[in-house]
Amino acid sequence: ISKEMFAEFAHNVEMHEMNQDHVVFKGGEKGDKFFLIIHGEVRIEVDKYVSTSVQSSPLGQKKNLRRSMSMDIGHLGPGKYFGEMALVDKEHTERSATAVCNKHSILLSVSGEVFHKIF
């Protein structure tokens, strides 16, 4: 990237200090920022739906129950980034996963507007 673009990027960066278990964003929310991990660790989770058959009456009739479970799909550390997918595809701006801090973390973020100017 050019020096001018880098300067704009640096000028528009926000720093976020987040505690363990802080939810950075949830799947389904509108994505408007890109994040870079400076310190700490962030886990990425997706919802998985599980069906279970249970006996619902003394006559042995079964009923299917469907419930949502979070499934870890990755752990990211310093130097890694996340949140870009909702910014790359302009037609699907919803977050595809949930991001949660595994421990105290320091993140940098850039708005979608600046992201699109640079990338």
Side-chain angles (χ1 to χ4, degrees):
I1 73 174
S2 71
K3 288 181 181 180
E4 293 80 18
M5 286 182 166
F6 181 78
E8 182 166 356
F9 178 84
H11 181 70
N12 289 287
V13 168
E14 291 181 47
M15 188 175 86
H16 308 271
E17 190 167 353
M18 299 179 178
N19 292 322
Q20 182 176 350
D21 297 324
H22 180 87
V23 176
V24 182
F25 56 74
K26 291 184 178 186
E29 292 179 349
K30 182 177 180 345
D32 61 353
K33 289 184 181 179
F34 160 82
F35 294 88
L36 174 67
I37 303 168
I38 300 301
H39 172 78
E41 184 180 81
V42 174
R43 77 178 173 271
I44 307 300
E45 304 174 342
V46 293
D47 286 336
K48 179 179 179 180
Y49 292 94
V50 179
S51 293
T52 308
S53 292
V54 294
Q55 187 172 336
S56 64
S57 75
L59 300 175
Q61 295 175 326
K62 292 196 174 192
K63 182 178 183 179
N64 282 329
L65 298 177
R66 188 175 168 171
R67 61 189 171 104
S68 172
M69 296 176 54
S70 290
M71 183 172 86
D72 287 3
I73 60 169
H75 292 245
L76 306 172
K80 301 296 182 183
Y81 58 88
F82 62 97
E84 80 288 356
M85 291 180 67
L87 303 179
V88 172
D89 186 349
K90 292 182 181 181
E91 291 182 23
H92 300 97
T93 61
E94 290 182 355
R95 299 288 188 191
S96 59
T98 297
V100 181
C101 293
N102 269 351
K103 53 185 165 181
H104 177 264
S105 298
I106 298 174
L107 311 176
L108 298 180
S109 71
V110 175
S111 72
E113 181 181 336
V114 173
F115 180 88
H116 288 295
K117 282 183 184 177
I118 296 170
F119 303 103

